[in-house]
């Protein structure tokens, strides 16, 4: 999700400075902020009040929020942040909480698309713990959503938003897609409404979308929640029955907390290590905080050579990646044939993509690329004439055209690296990227992790659809796009494939767009795909 950096000359309640939008939902905006009185970071949440709400009801709202959160914070220390202030101003309820130091679950889902069911169960169990404490005290959250759940670097969960439900006299304005059917009908709610939302969050984590989509207008979305049938989850695995049981329209028929807890614990007990590869990392927020994780994607702009790596030291000691990786000396590999020429600081594949110039069009449905050519029976063994095998010290090898060499190496600790190959004077490049934090759906990695960054980087045009495929028996996906590198329009073919355990490789082949169909380029791409191999081969 994109972030808007917004400054305001006026302080909220005369004290709190807004720095950066952390998360935005219908009628609700959460900011990172600074308490100018103490200099401490904080979270500031703005919830719009209905125009008709005024007088005594509005004046009572801040006190209700503060009291509810104080109670919950005492019951769940570390899992519910303390509210330090609340005020009604300019037609909105503003609540100020201590700095959470985590990433909204909604943002993690935007980055990764889906979680495996073990990781979803782990987060769900933490949410259930907090809800159970609240329900035993007679408190219903009523506004739970992925935007109200923050995930810290070590995986613990912090829940915000207690006390908002009913404080604004508005039926579920902030996240209609996660409202329960009884909220959609504007009926009185209880703990069963929170259990519905827990089911909706579990559904979203494993499916990559809420059970009932946002239809643009809150009332239309709520009508869908109330009346439309549930789309059967297809990725929930052993969580399927629990998710479906929580999402029953009749609140009296929903699963009880003990049954849900048993189902979640069973998933964690049977496969306790399956979520290790998807550990979330905090992200830099304004002046306060913690660093953003290296996501498992084929070749996001964080893996673009020629840009800078920012390393931020924070209390959690996390390596932060801002807009890229540093180029380093890549001359430590060995090859049976190396060409002459000087190294390059950038290359077409390493530059931010852009779309074709005016008048330049991309075919809507391209012909099958050379990627469709079957690999040899023993992948990587046959080296075509005019190519020589390069054995990288990182543990992969590929046949390169004679005269090609390693031009650039970029890496983030031991979890990701990128190597760019080419030759002086040759505009074509091959980039090999490795990551240990890939998602489980290769199509989703391109679509949800890579493409948004390409679109934000400037002009960009994808060619055709992202195509699911297999590569030497592994799940894979192909994507093609056109871009501009200085004055040259270039075209890139990318194939990403999964190795298991969160590990992945991607190959990106970039040439001038006008030369894409040259037989030499087709031969090169076929050779790369046919000869690439990693340690597992």
């Amino acid at each position: 999700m994109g972030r808007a950096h917004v400054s305001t000359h006026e302080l909220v309640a005369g004290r709190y400075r807004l720095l950066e939008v952390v998360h935005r939902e219908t009628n609700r905006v959460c900011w990172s902020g600074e308490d100018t009185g103490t200099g401490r970071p904080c979270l500031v949440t703005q919830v719009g009040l209905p125009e008709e709400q005024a007088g005594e009801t509005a004046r009572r709202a801040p006190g209700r929020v503060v009291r509810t959160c104080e109670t919950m914070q005492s019951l769940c220390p570390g899992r519910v942040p303390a509210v330090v202030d609340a005020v009604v101003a300019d037609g909105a309820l503003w609540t100020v909480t201590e700095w959470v130091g985590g990433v909204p679950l909604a943002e993690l889902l935007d980055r990764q698309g889906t979680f495996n069911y073990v990781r979803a169960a782990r987060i769900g169990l933490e949410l259930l713990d907090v809800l159970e404490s609240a329900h035993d005290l007679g408190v219903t959250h009523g506004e739970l959503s992925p935007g109200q759940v923050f995930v810290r670097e070590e995986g613990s969960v912090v829940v915000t938003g207690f006390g908002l439900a009913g404080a604004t006299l508005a039926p579920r304005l902030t996240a209609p897609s996660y409202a329960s059917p009884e909220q959609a009908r504007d009926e009185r709610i209880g703990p069963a409404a929170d259990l519905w939302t827990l089911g909706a969050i579990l559904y979203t984590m494993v499916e990559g979308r809420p059970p009932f989509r946002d239809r643009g207008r809150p009332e239309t979305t709520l009508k869908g929640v109330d009346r439309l049938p549930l789309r059967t989850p297809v990725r929930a695995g052993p969580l399927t029955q629990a998710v479906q049981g929580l999402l029953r329209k009749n609140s009296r028929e929903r699963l009880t907390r003990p049954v849900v807890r048993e189902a979640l614990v069973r998933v964690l007990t049977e496969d306790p290590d399956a979520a290790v590869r998807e550990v979330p990392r905090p992200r830099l927020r304004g002046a306060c905080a913690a660093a953003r994780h290296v996501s498992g994607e084929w070749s996001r702009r964080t893996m673009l050579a020629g840009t800078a790596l920012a390393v931020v030291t924070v209390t959690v000691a996390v390596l932060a990646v801002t807009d890229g990786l540093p180029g380093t000396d890549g001359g430590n590999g060995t090859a049976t044939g190396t060409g002459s020429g000087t190294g390059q600081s950038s290359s077409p594949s390493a530059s931010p993509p852009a779309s074709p110039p005016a008048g330049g069009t991309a075919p809507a449905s391209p012909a099958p690329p050379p990627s469709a050519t079957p690999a040899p029976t023993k992948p990587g063994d046959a080296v075509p004439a005019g190519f020589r095998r390069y054995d990288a010290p990182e543990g992969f090898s590929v046949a390169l055209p004679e005269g090609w060499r390693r031009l650039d190496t970029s890496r983030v600790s031991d979890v990701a690296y990128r190597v760019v190959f080419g030759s002086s004077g040759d505009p074509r490049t091959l980039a090999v990227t490795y990551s240990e934090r890939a998602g489980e759906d290769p199509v989703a990695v391109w679509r949800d992790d890579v493409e948004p960054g390409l679109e934000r980087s400037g002009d960009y045009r994808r060619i055709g659809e992202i195509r699911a495929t297999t590569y030497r028996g592994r799940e894979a996906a192909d994507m093609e796009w056109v871009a501009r590198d200085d004055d040259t329009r270039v075209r890139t073919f990318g194939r990403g494939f999964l190795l298991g355990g969160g590990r992945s490789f991607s190959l990106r082949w970039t040439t001038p767009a006008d030369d894409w169909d040259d037989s030499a380029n087709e031969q090169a791409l076929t050779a790369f795909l046919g000869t690439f191999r990693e340690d597992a081969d």
Side-chain angles (χ1 to χ4, degrees):
M1 130 185 2
R3 260 194 183 69
H5 291 263
V6 182
S7 298
T8 176
H9 297 295
E10 297 183 5
L11 303 178
V12 175
R15 178 167 181 167
Y16 306 101
R17 179 177 292 114
L18 305 180
L19 298 176
E20 182 184 20
V21 174
V22 172
H23 182 67
R24 190 186 301 271
E25 292 177 327
T26 303
N27 205 47
R28 174 182 175 270
V29 184
C30 184
W31 310 69
S32 66
E34 180 185 23
D35 184 339
T36 59
T38 64
R40 294 177 179 174
C42 57
L43 283 177
V44 183
T45 302
Q46 175 191 19
V47 178
L49 299 176
E51 293 182 2
E52 62 273 14
Q53 181 171 336
E56 190 65 23
T57 302
R59 286 193 293 271
R60 290 178 178 175
R64 173 176 177 169
V65 170
V66 171
R67 288 191 301 271
T68 303
C69 289
E70 282 180 346
T71 301
M72 287 305 305
Q73 205 269 339
S74 65
L75 289 174
C76 304
R79 295 191 176 188
V80 176
V83 173
V84 298
D85 207 348
V87 64
V88 171
D90 301 323
L93 171 64
W94 297 83
T95 61
V96 183
T97 66
E98 63 184 0
W99 180 250
V100 172
V103 179
L105 177 59
E107 179 180 324
L108 292 179
L109 289 168
D110 281 348
R111 291 182 195 171
Q112 300 182 25
T114 60
F115 295 168
N116 66 47
Y117 55 77
V118 176
R119 184 179 178 190
R122 187 166 297 163
I123 292 174
L125 190 59
E126 290 218 19
L127 285 176
L128 184 62
D129 287 341
V130 176
L131 292 177
E132 194 168 68
S133 297
H135 296 168
D136 288 345
L137 194 67
V139 174
T140 297
H141 189 292
E143 286 287 342
L144 195 63
S145 72
Q148 298 278 19
V149 179
F150 286 73
V151 183
R152 287 175 167 156
E153 188 248 343
E154 78 281 3
S156 64
V157 164
V158 181
V159 182
T160 65
F162 277 100
L164 288 178
T168 62
L169 295 184
R172 192 57 184 230
L173 288 180
T174 60
S177 293
Y178 295 90
S180 65
E182 53 267 35
Q183 287 173 291
R185 296 189 293 268
D186 199 15
E187 297 175 352
R188 184 180 181 86
I189 64 170
D194 285 346
L195 293 178
W196 166 280
T197 306
L198 173 61
I201 291 175
L202 287 168
Y203 186 106
T204 302
M205 285 191 285
V206 295
E207 297 297 307
R209 64 176 187 273
F212 299 93
R213 66 179 177 87
D214 189 326
R215 297 175 177 270
R217 300 174 57 189
E219 57 271 24
T220 306
T221 302
L222 293 172
K223 184 179 294 185
V225 170
D226 183 30
R227 300 181 183 180
L228 294 178
L230 176 68
R231 293 175 291 184
T232 302
V234 297
R235 299 171 58 93
L239 283 177
T240 300
Q241 290 185 344
V243 169
Q244 291 176 318
L246 287 168
L247 294 177
R248 290 173 181 164
K249 301 281 190 181
N250 188 331
S251 61
R252 289 187 291 270
E253 295 178 356
R254 286 175 206 149
L255 297 183
T256 61
R257 297 193 318 246
V259 174
V260 176
R261 178 176 295 278
E262 181 182 355
L264 297 177
V265 169
R266 185 184 309 117
V267 170
L268 296 179
T269 302
E270 292 176 353
D271 195 1
D273 299 322
V276 171
R277 62 181 177 274
E278 294 185 8
V279 177
R281 300 287 182 186
R283 186 174 181 179
L284 187 66
R285 297 198 195 287
C288 20
R292 140 190 206 185
H293 83 303
V294 182
S295 61
E297 53 193 62
W298 309 131
S299 187
R300 195 177 179 180
R301 56 195 177 95
T302 57
M303 299 299 293
L304 296 178
T307 54
L309 175 69
V311 179
V312 181
T313 303
V314 293
T315 55
V316 293
V318 179
L319 181 67
V321 178
T322 54
D323 284 332
L325 291 169
T328 59
D329 181 11
N332 57 350
T334 59
T336 54
T338 46
S340 60
T342 58
Q344 303 172 5
S345 61
S346 63
S347 63
S349 67
S351 303
S355 63
T361 58
S365 52
S371 58
T373 304
T377 303
K378 295 183 179 180
D381 286 348
V383 176
F387 288 74
R388 295 186 180 182
R389 178 164 296 284
Y390 172 88
D391 295 303
E394 288 85 358
F396 70 86
S397 70
V398 64
L400 301 175
E402 292 184 357
W404 274 41
R405 62 187 293 272
R406 185 172 181 141
L407 299 178
D408 187 87
T409 304
S410 307
R411 64 181 69 251
V412 175
S413 186
D414 295 325
V415 299
Y417 63 78
R418 183 177 181 192
V419 181
V420 179
F421 299 99
S423 177
S424 178
D426 190 337
R428 306 174 304 165
T429 57
L430 171 70
V432 177
T433 302
Y434 171 82
S435 172
E436 293 185 357
R437 291 176 180 162
E440 294 184 334
D441 182 350
V443 171
V445 173
W446 283 118
R447 182 192 64 226
D448 300 333
D449 293 336
V450 180
E451 191 165 42
L454 298 176
E455 291 172 338
R456 288 192 298 269
S457 68
D459 297 328
Y460 157 78
R461 181 174 301 178
R462 170 152 53 89
I463 299 175
E465 299 298 320
I466 301 173
R467 302 176 295 276
T469 185
T470 58
Y471 183 54
R472 305 209 296 261
R474 296 186 173 99
E475 288 186 84
D478 297 342
M479 187 171 85
E480 295 182 47
W481 63 92
V482 287
R484 178 164 290 279
D485 179 57
D486 295 330
D487 295 327
T488 304
R489 190 162 65 100
V490 297
R491 179 167 169 173
T492 297
F493 166 85
R495 168 165 293 178
F497 58 99
L498 307 179
L499 305 179
R503 298 161 52 243
S504 70
F505 269 108
S506 75
L507 308 179
R508 286 176 53 168
W509 167 236
T510 299
T511 78
D514 292 340
D515 300 335
W516 180 258
D517 293 327
D518 286 359
S519 59
N521 290 333
E522 294 181 0
Q523 178 190 22
L525 178 54
T526 300
F528 298 146
L529 295 173
T531 63
F532 182 85
R533 68 186 184 197
E534 68 280 352
D535 283 338
D537 286 340

